[in-house]
Amino acid sequence: MNLKKVGRYTVLVVLFFLPVTFLLFLYPATHNYNPLDIVNEDIIELNDFNSLDNEKVVLKDHITVLGFLGEKPMLKSTAASNLKELVYDKFKGFKKFQIVIVAPKGTEETVKQLKREISQYENLKFWHFVFGEPEKIRKLYKTVKTNIALDINLAVDEVFIIDKELNQRGRIDDREDNEKEKKKPLYGLNSYNCIEVATIKNKMSEDMRILFTEYRQKRKGEFNSTVRRANDLKAVEE
C-alpha cells in the first residue's frame, strides 16, 4: 500500500514539475537575456492580399513568421512541412503568434492541397495563406531585408520573423564565439532557411523564444533593455 502511495505521489510530482521545467527552458533567465535584434523596419501591411478563407489577416500586433510559396506551392512542401513541425507546432499556443504564407492569386486550389498534406486535417488556426498579384508580392518582399531574391515562381525557402511593430527581427551578429575571437568579419542573420533543419530547430526556435520573452516582459512591465537595431552597429561594420 505504501509503495502504491509513493508511486502515486512520484507521478504527481513529475506531472507538476515537467511543465515548470519546460517554462524555465522556454523563457531564458532575465540576467542572461538579450533581446532579438531589429534588422529592418517598416514592413508593409497585407492590405493588398486576400486570405484563403476571406478572413482579414494583418501583421500589426502579431508575432509573425512570414514566408513566400510562389506559383508552384507543392514544390515547397518540404519547407512547409519543416515549418509546420518545427515552428508552428512548438509556438501555436502563444498569444498573437501566426504564420503567414504569401502566394500568387490563382494558386488557391494547390495551396488547399498543400495545406491538407502538411496539416493531416489538423485545424491550422494560426496559419494563414494570403494571395496577391505578382507585383504586390514583389513590393512586400522588397520591404524585408535579405540578399536572397525571389525565384522565377515568386518563391523562396527563407522565412522572416516580423514583430508586433512591423519590424523584422534577426541577428545583427551571427558569428560563433570562435569566429569572434578570431576577429572574423561581422555577418548577420535576417532570415531562416526552412530546408536547413538545424537552422530552424536551433537558431530560429531560440530566436522565437527570445522574442516571446521580450513581449512577455513588456506585458509585465519588466522589460528595460534597449533592442539593438542594425543602424546601431554601422560603426562596427565599418
Side-chain angles (χ1 to χ4, degrees), residues 64-65 79-94 97-99 127 159 161 192-194 197 199-206 208 212:
T64 304
V65 175
S81 295
N82 288 344
L83 194 60
K84 161 68 168 59
E85 294 173 9
L86 302 176
V87 178
Y88 181 82
D89 287 349
K90 185 177 292 186
F91 296 105
K92 61 185 178 182
F94 284 78
F97 166 72
Q98 64 179 359
I99 289 180
W127 183 308
V159 292
I161 297 176
Y192 307 82
N193 190 302
C194 287
V197 172
T199 297
I200 299 299
K201 286 182 70 173
N202 301 323
K203 293 185 177 183
M204 187 174 184
S205 290
E206 177 64 17
M208 291 292 292
F212 280 115

PDB file of all heavy atoms in Angstrom, residues 64-65 79-94 97-99 127 159 161 192-194 197 199-206 208 212:
ATOM      1  N   THR A  64       4.852  37.323 -36.222  1.00  0.00           N
ATOM      2  CA  THR A  64       4.578  36.630 -37.474  1.00  0.00           C
ATOM      3  C   THR A  64       5.828  35.974 -38.050  1.00  0.00           C
ATOM      4  O   THR A  64       6.899  36.570 -38.064  1.00  0.00           O
ATOM      5  CB  THR A  64       4.027  37.625 -38.519  1.00  0.00           C
ATOM      6  OG1 THR A  64       2.864  38.285 -37.997  1.00  0.00           O
ATOM      7  CG2 THR A  64       3.664  36.913 -39.816  1.00  0.00           C
ATOM      8  N   VAL A  65       5.633  34.754 -38.528  1.00  0.00           N
ATOM      9  CA  VAL A  65       6.628  34.125 -39.398  1.00  0.00           C
ATOM     10  C   VAL A  65       6.089  34.279 -40.816  1.00  0.00           C
ATOM     11  O   VAL A  65       5.017  33.749 -41.136  1.00  0.00           O
ATOM     12  CB  VAL A  65       6.840  32.655 -39.042  1.00  0.00           C
ATOM     13  CG1 VAL A  65       7.783  32.003 -40.057  1.00  0.00           C
ATOM     14  CG2 VAL A  65       7.401  32.518 -37.636  1.00  0.00           C
ATOM     15  N   ALA A  79       9.736  22.488 -47.297  1.00  0.00           N
ATOM     16  CA  ALA A  79       9.927  23.688 -46.474  1.00  0.00           C
ATOM     17  C   ALA A  79       8.693  23.932 -45.606  1.00  0.00           C
ATOM     18  O   ALA A  79       8.815  24.254 -44.417  1.00  0.00           O
ATOM     19  CB  ALA A  79      10.205  24.899 -47.365  1.00  0.00           C
ATOM     20  N   ALA A  80       7.504  23.777 -46.189  1.00  0.00           N
ATOM     21  CA  ALA A  80       6.265  23.997 -45.437  1.00  0.00           C
ATOM     22  C   ALA A  80       6.106  22.962 -44.321  1.00  0.00           C
ATOM     23  O   ALA A  80       5.696  23.298 -43.202  1.00  0.00           O
ATOM     24  CB  ALA A  80       5.065  23.952 -46.384  1.00  0.00           C
ATOM     25  N   SER A  81       6.446  21.712 -44.580  1.00  0.00           N
ATOM     26  CA  SER A  81       6.349  20.665 -43.563  1.00  0.00           C
ATOM     27  C   SER A  81       7.309  20.919 -42.408  1.00  0.00           C
ATOM     28  O   SER A  81       6.951  20.752 -41.237  1.00  0.00           O
ATOM     29  CB  SER A  81       6.635  19.294 -44.185  1.00  0.00           C
ATOM     30  OG  SER A  81       5.642  18.952 -45.131  1.00  0.00           O
ATOM     31  N   ASN A  82       8.536  21.325 -42.742  1.00  0.00           N
ATOM     32  CA  ASN A  82       9.508  21.656 -41.691  1.00  0.00           C
ATOM     33  C   ASN A  82       9.009  22.803 -40.826  1.00  0.00           C
ATOM     34  O   ASN A  82       9.147  22.784 -39.598  1.00  0.00           O
ATOM     35  CB  ASN A  82      10.857  22.018 -42.315  1.00  0.00           C
ATOM     36  CG  ASN A  82      11.571  20.814 -42.887  1.00  0.00           C
ATOM     37  OD1 ASN A  82      11.231  19.673 -42.588  1.00  0.00           O
ATOM     38  ND2 ASN A  82      12.560  21.062 -43.727  1.00  0.00           N
ATOM     39  N   LEU A  83       8.424  23.801 -41.477  1.00  0.00           N
ATOM     40  CA  LEU A  83       7.909  24.957 -40.749  1.00  0.00           C
ATOM     41  C   LEU A  83       6.754  24.546 -39.838  1.00  0.00           C
ATOM     42  O   LEU A  83       6.659  25.007 -38.698  1.00  0.00           O
ATOM     43  CB  LEU A  83       7.444  26.017 -41.754  1.00  0.00           C
ATOM     44  CG  LEU A  83       7.186  27.421 -41.220  1.00  0.00           C
ATOM     45  CD1 LEU A  83       8.435  28.030 -40.603  1.00  0.00           C
ATOM     46  CD2 LEU A  83       6.671  28.329 -42.342  1.00  0.00           C
ATOM     47  N   LYS A  84       5.916  23.666 -40.318  1.00  0.00           N
ATOM     48  CA  LYS A  84       4.786  23.182 -39.520  1.00  0.00           C
ATOM     49  C   LYS A  84       5.269  22.400 -38.294  1.00  0.00           C
ATOM     50  O   LYS A  84       4.843  22.649 -37.160  1.00  0.00           O
ATOM     51  CB  LYS A  84       3.897  22.305 -40.398  1.00  0.00           C
ATOM     52  CG  LYS A  84       2.945  21.360 -39.676  1.00  0.00           C
ATOM     53  CD  LYS A  84       1.854  22.082 -38.936  1.00  0.00           C
ATOM     54  CE  LYS A  84       0.762  21.133 -38.470  1.00  0.00           C
ATOM     55  NZ  LYS A  84       1.212  20.045 -37.577  1.00  0.00           N
ATOM     56  N   GLU A  85       6.171  21.460 -38.519  1.00  0.00           N
ATOM     57  CA  GLU A  85       6.579  20.557 -37.441  1.00  0.00           C
ATOM     58  C   GLU A  85       7.536  21.208 -36.449  1.00  0.00           C
ATOM     59  O   GLU A  85       7.476  20.927 -35.246  1.00  0.00           O
ATOM     60  CB  GLU A  85       7.234  19.310 -38.043  1.00  0.00           C
ATOM     61  CG  GLU A  85       6.277  18.449 -38.862  1.00  0.00           C
ATOM     62  CD  GLU A  85       6.976  17.324 -39.591  1.00  0.00           C
ATOM     63  OE1 GLU A  85       8.174  17.098 -39.328  1.00  0.00           O
ATOM     64  OE2 GLU A  85       6.331  16.668 -40.429  1.00  0.00           O
ATOM     65  N   LEU A  86       8.408  22.082 -36.937  1.00  0.00           N
ATOM     66  CA  LEU A  86       9.482  22.602 -36.082  1.00  0.00           C
ATOM     67  C   LEU A  86       9.200  23.993 -35.511  1.00  0.00           C
ATOM     68  O   LEU A  86       9.852  24.406 -34.553  1.00  0.00           O
ATOM     69  CB  LEU A  86      10.799  22.627 -36.869  1.00  0.00           C
ATOM     70  CG  LEU A  86      11.248  21.274 -37.427  1.00  0.00           C
ATOM     71  CD1 LEU A  86      12.506  21.448 -38.280  1.00  0.00           C
ATOM     72  CD2 LEU A  86      11.493  20.279 -36.314  1.00  0.00           C
ATOM     73  N   VAL A  87       8.248  24.700 -36.101  1.00  0.00           N
ATOM     74  CA  VAL A  87       7.938  26.055 -35.614  1.00  0.00           C
ATOM     75  C   VAL A  87       6.472  26.159 -35.194  1.00  0.00           C
ATOM     76  O   VAL A  87       6.172  26.482 -34.046  1.00  0.00           O
ATOM     77  CB  VAL A  87       8.271  27.121 -36.679  1.00  0.00           C
ATOM     78  CG1 VAL A  87       7.896  28.519 -36.171  1.00  0.00           C
ATOM     79  CG2 VAL A  87       9.756  27.079 -37.025  1.00  0.00           C
ATOM     80  N   TYR A  88       5.563  25.877 -36.112  1.00  0.00           N
ATOM     81  CA  TYR A  88       4.144  26.056 -35.798  1.00  0.00           C
ATOM     82  C   TYR A  88       3.714  25.205 -34.607  1.00  0.00           C
ATOM     83  O   TYR A  88       3.078  25.703 -33.666  1.00  0.00           O
ATOM     84  CB  TYR A  88       3.292  25.721 -37.019  1.00  0.00           C
ATOM     85  CG  TYR A  88       1.811  25.919 -36.773  1.00  0.00           C
ATOM     86  CD1 TYR A  88       1.243  27.198 -36.877  1.00  0.00           C
ATOM     87  CD2 TYR A  88       0.979  24.859 -36.412  1.00  0.00           C
ATOM     88  CE1 TYR A  88      -0.112  27.390 -36.632  1.00  0.00           C
ATOM     89  CE2 TYR A  88      -0.370  25.050 -36.172  1.00  0.00           C
ATOM     90  CZ  TYR A  88      -0.908  26.318 -36.282  1.00  0.00           C
ATOM     91  OH  TYR A  88      -2.240  26.508 -36.026  1.00  0.00           O
ATOM     92  N   ASP A  89       4.048  23.917 -34.638  1.00  0.00           N
ATOM     93  CA  ASP A  89       3.613  23.024 -33.556  1.00  0.00           C
ATOM     94  C   ASP A  89       4.190  23.440 -32.207  1.00  0.00           C
ATOM     95  O   ASP A  89       3.592  23.182 -31.162  1.00  0.00           O
ATOM     96  CB  ASP A  89       4.021  21.583 -33.874  1.00  0.00           C
ATOM     97  CG  ASP A  89       3.167  20.967 -34.974  1.00  0.00           C
ATOM     98  OD1 ASP A  89       2.135  21.579 -35.332  1.00  0.00           O
ATOM     99  OD2 ASP A  89       3.529  19.897 -35.479  1.00  0.00           O
ATOM    100  N   LYS A  90       5.342  24.084 -32.225  1.00  0.00           N
ATOM    101  CA  LYS A  90       6.004  24.474 -30.981  1.00  0.00           C
ATOM    102  C   LYS A  90       5.424  25.756 -30.392  1.00  0.00           C
ATOM    103  O   LYS A  90       5.327  25.912 -29.180  1.00  0.00           O
ATOM    104  CB  LYS A  90       7.498  24.651 -31.227  1.00  0.00           C
ATOM    105  CG  LYS A  90       8.303  24.948 -29.971  1.00  0.00           C
ATOM    106  CD  LYS A  90       9.786  25.040 -30.276  1.00  0.00           C
ATOM    107  CE  LYS A  90      10.355  23.706 -30.673  1.00  0.00           C
ATOM    108  NZ  LYS A  90      11.825  23.743 -30.840  1.00  0.00           N
ATOM    109  N   PHE A  91       5.005  26.689 -31.253  1.00  0.00           N
ATOM    110  CA  PHE A  91       4.626  28.013 -30.765  1.00  0.00           C
ATOM    111  C   PHE A  91       3.154  28.365 -30.965  1.00  0.00           C
ATOM    112  O   PHE A  91       2.741  29.474 -30.615  1.00  0.00           O
ATOM    113  CB  PHE A  91       5.488  29.079 -31.463  1.00  0.00           C
ATOM    114  CG  PHE A  91       6.952  28.971 -31.138  1.00  0.00           C
ATOM    115  CD1 PHE A  91       7.845  28.462 -32.060  1.00  0.00           C
ATOM    116  CD2 PHE A  91       7.432  29.366 -29.899  1.00  0.00           C
ATOM    117  CE1 PHE A  91       9.204  28.345 -31.753  1.00  0.00           C
ATOM    118  CE2 PHE A  91       8.780  29.257 -29.586  1.00  0.00           C
ATOM    119  CZ  PHE A  91       9.672  28.739 -30.519  1.00  0.00           C
ATOM    120  N   LYS A  92       2.351  27.448 -31.463  1.00  0.00           N
ATOM    121  CA  LYS A  92       0.967  27.776 -31.800  1.00  0.00           C
ATOM    122  C   LYS A  92       0.123  28.153 -30.587  1.00  0.00           C
ATOM    123  O   LYS A  92      -0.939  28.756 -30.738  1.00  0.00           O
ATOM    124  CB  LYS A  92       0.308  26.615 -32.536  1.00  0.00           C
ATOM    125  CG  LYS A  92       0.238  25.333 -31.739  1.00  0.00           C
ATOM    126  CD  LYS A  92      -0.321  24.192 -32.580  1.00  0.00           C
ATOM    127  CE  LYS A  92      -0.355  22.883 -31.808  1.00  0.00           C
ATOM    128  NZ  LYS A  92      -0.855  21.763 -32.649  1.00  0.00           N
ATOM    129  N   GLY A  93       0.585  27.829 -29.390  1.00  0.00           N
ATOM    130  CA  GLY A  93      -0.178  28.180 -28.197  1.00  0.00           C
ATOM    131  C   GLY A  93       0.128  29.555 -27.645  1.00  0.00           C
ATOM    132  O   GLY A  93      -0.519  30.001 -26.694  1.00  0.00           O
ATOM    133  N   PHE A  94       1.085  30.261 -28.243  1.00  0.00           N
ATOM    134  CA  PHE A  94       1.484  31.568 -27.726  1.00  0.00           C
ATOM    135  C   PHE A  94       0.586  32.672 -28.276  1.00  0.00           C
ATOM    136  O   PHE A  94       0.183  32.653 -29.438  1.00  0.00           O
ATOM    137  CB  PHE A  94       2.943  31.854 -28.085  1.00  0.00           C
ATOM    138  CG  PHE A  94       3.924  31.093 -27.245  1.00  0.00           C
ATOM    139  CD1 PHE A  94       4.190  29.756 -27.494  1.00  0.00           C
ATOM    140  CD2 PHE A  94       4.567  31.702 -26.179  1.00  0.00           C
ATOM    141  CE1 PHE A  94       5.082  29.043 -26.723  1.00  0.00           C
ATOM    142  CE2 PHE A  94       5.459  31.003 -25.400  1.00  0.00           C
ATOM    143  CZ  PHE A  94       5.717  29.667 -25.670  1.00  0.00           C
ATOM    144  N   PHE A  97       0.699  34.761 -31.902  1.00  0.00           N
ATOM    145  CA  PHE A  97       1.608  34.124 -32.856  1.00  0.00           C
ATOM    146  C   PHE A  97       0.840  33.714 -34.106  1.00  0.00           C
ATOM    147  O   PHE A  97      -0.301  33.269 -34.030  1.00  0.00           O
ATOM    148  CB  PHE A  97       2.248  32.884 -32.231  1.00  0.00           C
ATOM    149  CG  PHE A  97       2.925  31.985 -33.233  1.00  0.00           C
ATOM    150  CD1 PHE A  97       4.118  32.369 -33.824  1.00  0.00           C
ATOM    151  CD2 PHE A  97       2.359  30.772 -33.589  1.00  0.00           C
ATOM    152  CE1 PHE A  97       4.745  31.539 -34.743  1.00  0.00           C
ATOM    153  CE2 PHE A  97       2.974  29.936 -34.507  1.00  0.00           C
ATOM    154  CZ  PHE A  97       4.176  30.320 -35.084  1.00  0.00           C
ATOM    155  N   GLN A  98       1.488  33.860 -35.273  1.00  0.00           N
ATOM    156  CA  GLN A  98       0.874  33.398 -36.505  1.00  0.00           C
ATOM    157  C   GLN A  98       1.957  33.114 -37.550  1.00  0.00           C
ATOM    158  O   GLN A  98       3.056  33.691 -37.504  1.00  0.00           O
ATOM    159  CB  GLN A  98      -0.123  34.426 -37.075  1.00  0.00           C
ATOM    160  CG  GLN A  98       0.515  35.743 -37.489  1.00  0.00           C
ATOM    161  CD  GLN A  98      -0.487  36.727 -38.065  1.00  0.00           C
ATOM    162  OE1 GLN A  98      -1.679  36.450 -38.190  1.00  0.00           O
ATOM    163  NE2 GLN A  98      -0.018  37.909 -38.444  1.00  0.00           N
ATOM    164  N   ILE A  99       1.627  32.220 -38.462  1.00  0.00           N
ATOM    165  CA  ILE A  99       2.427  32.033 -39.670  1.00  0.00           C
ATOM    166  C   ILE A  99       1.605  32.548 -40.833  1.00  0.00           C
ATOM    167  O   ILE A  99       0.426  32.219 -40.968  1.00  0.00           O
ATOM    168  CB  ILE A  99       2.800  30.557 -39.868  1.00  0.00           C
ATOM    169  CG1 ILE A  99       3.833  30.123 -38.820  1.00  0.00           C
ATOM    170  CG2 ILE A  99       3.344  30.312 -41.277  1.00  0.00           C
ATOM    171  CD1 ILE A  99       4.263  28.678 -38.917  1.00  0.00           C
ATOM    172  N   TRP A 127      -2.274  29.596 -38.768  1.00  0.00           N
ATOM    173  CA  TRP A 127      -1.506  29.543 -40.018  1.00  0.00           C
ATOM    174  C   TRP A 127      -2.399  30.093 -41.125  1.00  0.00           C
ATOM    175  O   TRP A 127      -3.454  29.547 -41.413  1.00  0.00           O
ATOM    176  CB  TRP A 127      -1.096  28.103 -40.317  1.00  0.00           C
ATOM    177  CG  TRP A 127      -0.230  27.921 -41.534  1.00  0.00           C
ATOM    178  CD1 TRP A 127      -0.466  28.381 -42.796  1.00  0.00           C
ATOM    179  CD2 TRP A 127       1.017  27.204 -41.592  1.00  0.00           C
ATOM    180  NE1 TRP A 127       0.532  27.995 -43.636  1.00  0.00           N
ATOM    181  CE2 TRP A 127       1.453  27.278 -42.935  1.00  0.00           C
ATOM    182  CE3 TRP A 127       1.774  26.513 -40.660  1.00  0.00           C
ATOM    183  CZ2 TRP A 127       2.654  26.668 -43.359  1.00  0.00           C
ATOM    184  CZ3 TRP A 127       2.951  25.918 -41.076  1.00  0.00           C
ATOM    185  CH2 TRP A 127       3.386  25.995 -42.402  1.00  0.00           C
ATOM    186  N   VAL A 159      12.245  32.201 -44.462  1.00  0.00           N
ATOM    187  CA  VAL A 159      11.123  32.861 -43.788  1.00  0.00           C
ATOM    188  C   VAL A 159      11.671  33.960 -42.894  1.00  0.00           C
ATOM    189  O   VAL A 159      12.853  33.958 -42.528  1.00  0.00           O
ATOM    190  CB  VAL A 159      10.284  31.862 -42.946  1.00  0.00           C
ATOM    191  CG1 VAL A 159       9.557  30.887 -43.842  1.00  0.00           C
ATOM    192  CG2 VAL A 159      11.145  31.139 -41.922  1.00  0.00           C
ATOM    193  N   ILE A 161      11.013  36.717 -39.502  1.00  0.00           N
ATOM    194  CA  ILE A 161      10.307  36.988 -38.248  1.00  0.00           C
ATOM    195  C   ILE A 161       9.938  38.469 -38.203  1.00  0.00           C
ATOM    196  O   ILE A 161      10.826  39.327 -38.277  1.00  0.00           O
ATOM    197  CB  ILE A 161      11.159  36.626 -37.022  1.00  0.00           C
ATOM    198  CG1 ILE A 161      11.463  35.124 -37.005  1.00  0.00           C
ATOM    199  CG2 ILE A 161      10.444  37.033 -35.731  1.00  0.00           C
ATOM    200  CD1 ILE A 161      12.385  34.697 -35.873  1.00  0.00           C
ATOM    201  N   TYR A 192      15.555  32.732 -42.197  1.00  0.00           N
ATOM    202  CA  TYR A 192      15.805  31.369 -41.745  1.00  0.00           C
ATOM    203  C   TYR A 192      15.385  30.399 -42.849  1.00  0.00           C
ATOM    204  O   TYR A 192      14.237  30.420 -43.290  1.00  0.00           O
ATOM    205  CB  TYR A 192      15.031  31.081 -40.462  1.00  0.00           C
ATOM    206  CG  TYR A 192      15.298  32.107 -39.383  1.00  0.00           C
ATOM    207  CD1 TYR A 192      14.616  33.327 -39.373  1.00  0.00           C
ATOM    208  CD2 TYR A 192      16.256  31.886 -38.391  1.00  0.00           C
ATOM    209  CE1 TYR A 192      14.875  34.289 -38.404  1.00  0.00           C
ATOM    210  CE2 TYR A 192      16.512  32.840 -37.420  1.00  0.00           C
ATOM    211  CZ  TYR A 192      15.824  34.038 -37.434  1.00  0.00           C
ATOM    212  OH  TYR A 192      16.072  34.994 -36.473  1.00  0.00           O
ATOM    213  N   ASN A 193      16.328  29.559 -43.284  1.00  0.00           N
ATOM    214  CA  ASN A 193      16.066  28.640 -44.378  1.00  0.00           C
ATOM    215  C   ASN A 193      15.311  27.411 -43.869  1.00  0.00           C
ATOM    216  O   ASN A 193      15.799  26.686 -43.001  1.00  0.00           O
ATOM    217  CB  ASN A 193      17.389  28.215 -45.024  1.00  0.00           C
ATOM    218  CG  ASN A 193      17.174  27.463 -46.322  1.00  0.00           C
ATOM    219  OD1 ASN A 193      16.511  26.443 -46.359  1.00  0.00           O
ATOM    220  ND2 ASN A 193      17.753  27.974 -47.397  1.00  0.00           N
ATOM    221  N   CYS A 194      14.129  27.183 -44.421  1.00  0.00           N
ATOM    222  CA  CYS A 194      13.268  26.101 -43.926  1.00  0.00           C
ATOM    223  C   CYS A 194      13.698  24.726 -44.411  1.00  0.00           C
ATOM    224  O   CYS A 194      13.165  23.716 -43.938  1.00  0.00           O
ATOM    225  CB  CYS A 194      11.816  26.359 -44.352  1.00  0.00           C
ATOM    226  SG  CYS A 194      11.048  27.693 -43.440  1.00  0.00           S
ATOM    227  N   VAL A 197      17.187  22.046 -41.534  1.00  0.00           N
ATOM    228  CA  VAL A 197      16.507  21.681 -40.294  1.00  0.00           C
ATOM    229  C   VAL A 197      17.256  22.206 -39.072  1.00  0.00           C
ATOM    230  O   VAL A 197      16.644  22.690 -38.111  1.00  0.00           O
ATOM    231  CB  VAL A 197      16.327  20.149 -40.214  1.00  0.00           C
ATOM    232  CG1 VAL A 197      15.804  19.739 -38.845  1.00  0.00           C
ATOM    233  CG2 VAL A 197      15.383  19.673 -41.306  1.00  0.00           C
ATOM    234  N   THR A 199      19.040  24.868 -38.760  1.00  0.00           N
ATOM    235  CA  THR A 199      18.801  26.305 -38.619  1.00  0.00           C
ATOM    236  C   THR A 199      17.454  26.569 -37.959  1.00  0.00           C
ATOM    237  O   THR A 199      17.328  27.417 -37.068  1.00  0.00           O
ATOM    238  CB  THR A 199      18.852  27.001 -39.997  1.00  0.00           C
ATOM    239  OG1 THR A 199      20.161  26.851 -40.544  1.00  0.00           O
ATOM    240  CG2 THR A 199      18.527  28.487 -39.885  1.00  0.00           C
ATOM    241  N   ILE A 200      16.432  25.830 -38.379  1.00  0.00           N
ATOM    242  CA  ILE A 200      15.089  26.017 -37.820  1.00  0.00           C
ATOM    243  C   ILE A 200      15.033  25.534 -36.371  1.00  0.00           C
ATOM    244  O   ILE A 200      14.510  26.220 -35.483  1.00  0.00           O
ATOM    245  CB  ILE A 200      14.044  25.269 -38.671  1.00  0.00           C
ATOM    246  CG1 ILE A 200      14.035  25.809 -40.107  1.00  0.00           C
ATOM    247  CG2 ILE A 200      12.652  25.411 -38.056  1.00  0.00           C
ATOM    248  CD1 ILE A 200      13.676  27.249 -40.236  1.00  0.00           C
ATOM    249  N   LYS A 201      15.584  24.357 -36.110  1.00  0.00           N
ATOM    250  CA  LYS A 201      15.499  23.771 -34.770  1.00  0.00           C
ATOM    251  C   LYS A 201      16.314  24.549 -33.748  1.00  0.00           C
ATOM    252  O   LYS A 201      15.905  24.679 -32.590  1.00  0.00           O
ATOM    253  CB  LYS A 201      15.993  22.318 -34.809  1.00  0.00           C
ATOM    254  CG  LYS A 201      15.029  21.356 -35.457  1.00  0.00           C
ATOM    255  CD  LYS A 201      15.556  19.932 -35.406  1.00  0.00           C
ATOM    256  CE  LYS A 201      15.543  19.396 -33.988  1.00  0.00           C
ATOM    257  NZ  LYS A 201      15.905  17.959 -33.940  1.00  0.00           N
ATOM    258  N   ASN A 202      17.456  25.051 -34.168  1.00  0.00           N
ATOM    259  CA  ASN A 202      18.343  25.709 -33.219  1.00  0.00           C
ATOM    260  C   ASN A 202      18.206  27.226 -33.250  1.00  0.00           C
ATOM    261  O   ASN A 202      17.686  27.833 -32.323  1.00  0.00           O
ATOM    262  CB  ASN A 202      19.791  25.288 -33.497  1.00  0.00           C
ATOM    263  CG  ASN A 202      19.983  23.788 -33.380  1.00  0.00           C
ATOM    264  OD1 ASN A 202      19.387  23.146 -32.524  1.00  0.00           O
ATOM    265  ND2 ASN A 202      20.791  23.214 -34.245  1.00  0.00           N
ATOM    266  N   LYS A 203      18.610  27.842 -34.335  1.00  0.00           N
ATOM    267  CA  LYS A 203      18.641  29.304 -34.368  1.00  0.00           C
ATOM    268  C   LYS A 203      17.241  29.929 -34.351  1.00  0.00           C
ATOM    269  O   LYS A 203      16.949  30.825 -33.561  1.00  0.00           O
ATOM    270  CB  LYS A 203      19.422  29.781 -35.588  1.00  0.00           C
ATOM    271  CG  LYS A 203      20.903  29.453 -35.523  1.00  0.00           C
ATOM    272  CD  LYS A 203      21.657  30.050 -36.693  1.00  0.00           C
ATOM    273  CE  LYS A 203      23.160  29.768 -36.551  1.00  0.00           C
ATOM    274  NZ  LYS A 203      23.936  30.394 -37.655  1.00  0.00           N
ATOM    275  N   MET A 204      16.358  29.454 -35.220  1.00  0.00           N
ATOM    276  CA  MET A 204      15.043  30.093 -35.303  1.00  0.00           C
ATOM    277  C   MET A 204      14.224  29.844 -34.045  1.00  0.00           C
ATOM    278  O   MET A 204      13.565  30.763 -33.527  1.00  0.00           O
ATOM    279  CB  MET A 204      14.286  29.621 -36.536  1.00  0.00           C
ATOM    280  CG  MET A 204      12.978  30.382 -36.746  1.00  0.00           C
ATOM    281  SD  MET A 204      12.148  29.957 -38.274  1.00  0.00           S
ATOM    282  CE  MET A 204      10.772  31.123 -38.197  1.00  0.00           C
ATOM    283  N   SER A 205      14.224  28.630 -33.548  1.00  0.00           N
ATOM    284  CA  SER A 205      13.470  28.330 -32.324  1.00  0.00           C
ATOM    285  C   SER A 205      13.961  29.174 -31.162  1.00  0.00           C
ATOM    286  O   SER A 205      13.165  29.710 -30.380  1.00  0.00           O
ATOM    287  CB  SER A 205      13.586  26.839 -31.992  1.00  0.00           C
ATOM    288  OG  SER A 205      12.882  26.063 -32.926  1.00  0.00           O
ATOM    289  N   GLU A 206      15.275  29.310 -31.041  1.00  0.00           N
ATOM    290  CA  GLU A 206      15.840  30.134 -29.977  1.00  0.00           C
ATOM    291  C   GLU A 206      15.433  31.591 -30.135  1.00  0.00           C
ATOM    292  O   GLU A 206      15.053  32.260 -29.164  1.00  0.00           O
ATOM    293  CB  GLU A 206      17.360  30.002 -29.973  1.00  0.00           C
ATOM    294  CG  GLU A 206      18.063  30.877 -28.954  1.00  0.00           C
ATOM    295  CD  GLU A 206      17.725  30.513 -27.516  1.00  0.00           C
ATOM    296  OE1 GLU A 206      17.209  29.401 -27.273  1.00  0.00           O
ATOM    297  OE2 GLU A 206      17.964  31.340 -26.618  1.00  0.00           O
ATOM    298  N   MET A 208      12.821  32.814 -31.677  1.00  0.00           N
ATOM    299  CA  MET A 208      11.398  32.963 -31.381  1.00  0.00           C
ATOM    300  C   MET A 208      11.163  33.000 -29.882  1.00  0.00           C
ATOM    301  O   MET A 208      10.388  33.822 -29.374  1.00  0.00           O
ATOM    302  CB  MET A 208      10.610  31.822 -32.020  1.00  0.00           C
ATOM    303  CG  MET A 208      10.548  31.844 -33.536  1.00  0.00           C
ATOM    304  SD  MET A 208       9.587  33.223 -34.194  1.00  0.00           S
ATOM    305  CE  MET A 208       7.940  32.758 -33.671  1.00  0.00           C
ATOM    306  N   PHE A 212       9.379  36.076 -27.784  1.00  0.00           N
ATOM    307  CA  PHE A 212       8.229  35.897 -26.901  1.00  0.00           C
ATOM    308  C   PHE A 212       8.557  36.339 -25.475  1.00  0.00           C
ATOM    309  O   PHE A 212       7.713  36.884 -24.771  1.00  0.00           O
ATOM    310  CB  PHE A 212       7.771  34.435 -26.914  1.00  0.00           C
ATOM    311  CG  PHE A 212       6.929  34.080 -28.093  1.00  0.00           C
ATOM    312  CD1 PHE A 212       7.365  33.160 -29.034  1.00  0.00           C
ATOM    313  CD2 PHE A 212       5.688  34.665 -28.285  1.00  0.00           C
ATOM    314  CE1 PHE A 212       6.589  32.830 -30.134  1.00  0.00           C
ATOM    315  CE2 PHE A 212       4.897  34.350 -29.377  1.00  0.00           C
ATOM    316  CZ  PHE A 212       5.357  33.423 -30.310  1.00  0.00           C
TER     317      PHE A 212
END
